[in-house]
Amino acid sequence: MVSSDFRPGSPNWIGLGSADLAESELFYGSVFGWELGPPGPNGYGFFRSAGRTVAGVGPLTEAEPLPAWTVYFAAADAARAAAAAERSGGVVRVGPTEVPGHGRFAQLTDPTGGRFAVWEAGGTAGLEAVGERGALCRAELHTSDPPGALRFYRGLFGWRSRSADVPGVEDTVLRPADGEEEFGGIAGVHPRVDVGWLVHFAVADALLATDEVRRLGGSVLVPPERVPTVGRIAVLADPFGAQFALLEPEGPRR
């Protein structure tokens, strides 16, 4: 599960590029109970659960022309990370940008086509709630070249990895260079899942949450399936096409 330690190279922020902020608030509010605070001058706002920030959301931009979720990884220096990504065959979509009073970010694309970003903490270290119901709990990269992607991210963040050890599943589990939490993985391409980083949100019941997504006009790309030792996972898309996953963790519900 994602940890709030936000060690270098671990996920510390997620952001949604939305075609309609009001409709996105209705959708994610119904599925997860989120509320959207008043957007700032640039149209960027924050989804909150029980008063704590669980995601950012903003209008589509030239760099992010289609509705999608973006995973941000903690970096000590966003400019240095962007330069290193470019030297390793990645693309800098948005160069290092200051968010006054909060930090700096850069939006990048890895050599296999996966979009992601880095966040250099200033006044804001990262999300206020992770690893619990209705919040980010896992990030998984779907790519046509898992070994190549792993080489790129190891060089950029120093990630450690291991085989998932799940029967019938070819997946690499990821840890930050400094820390033991397993925050995500790298998997091959699924025919109905976009290439790139897929955010997972923890839920108490993946079946009920999937039904709610369908009722609200979202799409079910991969219906809820049990993954041994992990839990029940479903891959979905919101009404505008932004893909995300649900994870009902294995074990007793809290």
Side-chain angles (χ1 to χ4, degrees):
M1 289 288 189
V2 173
S3 162
S4 59
D5 289 344
F6 301 139
R7 297 177 183 274
S10 65
N12 63 347
W13 193 265
I14 53 173
L16 172 65
S18 169
D20 188 318
L21 267 64
E23 289 298 319
S24 292
E25 179 182 17
L26 288 174
F27 176 82
Y28 289 101
S30 296
V31 176
F32 299 122
W34 294 352
E35 296 179 348
L36 178 62
N42 60 356
Y44 199 84
F46 303 95
F47 282 124
R48 291 188 170 91
S49 176
R52 295 177 298 162
T53 301
V54 291
V57 58
L60 299 178
T61 65
E62 185 175 340
E64 302 291 348
L66 298 175
W69 283 97
T70 299
V71 181
Y72 291 67
F73 298 96
D77 187 316
R80 187 173 297 174
E86 195 165 39
R87 285 196 303 270
S88 298
V91 174
V92 178
R93 300 193 317 281
V94 177
T97 302
E98 187 83 21
V99 181
H102 295 279
R104 284 198 302 171
F105 72 90
Q107 295 182 344
L108 314 167
T109 303
D110 70 36
T112 74
R115 293 185 168 208
F116 69 104
V118 292
W119 176 256
E120 175 190 336
T124 299
L127 300 172
E128 295 174 338
V130 295
E132 59 187 62
R133 290 181 185 177
L136 176 71
C137 65
R138 176 180 169 84
E140 184 173 88
L141 177 65
H142 288 254
T143 172
S144 59
D145 183 8
L150 184 57
R151 284 193 299 272
F152 171 81
Y153 288 103
R154 273 182 177 159
L156 187 59
F157 296 125
W159 288 347
R160 294 174 294 151
S161 63
R162 68 170 180 84
S163 172
D165 295 328
V166 176
V169 175
E170 293 185 8
D171 196 355
T172 299
V173 178
L174 302 171
R175 289 191 181 105
D178 177 21
E180 294 305 317
E181 72 272 13
E182 296 179 340
F183 63 79
I186 295 179
V189 174
H190 187 284
R192 299 202 65 192
V193 179
D194 290 344
V195 168
W197 286 95
L198 183 67
V199 297
H200 289 59
F201 299 108
V203 294
D205 191 317
L207 295 172
L208 289 178
T210 297
D211 286 343
E212 182 68 359
V213 167
R214 187 184 289 110
R215 185 185 72 82
L216 294 166
S219 304
V220 179
L221 306 179
V222 181
E225 297 178 351
R226 183 180 175 274
V227 178
T229 75
V230 176
R232 187 176 281 125
I233 295 177
V235 182
L236 313 162
D238 70 20
F240 301 107
Q243 296 187 6
F244 63 97
L246 305 176
L247 171 56
E248 176 189 335
E250 188 99 304
R253 297 177 187 171
R254 293 177 290 174

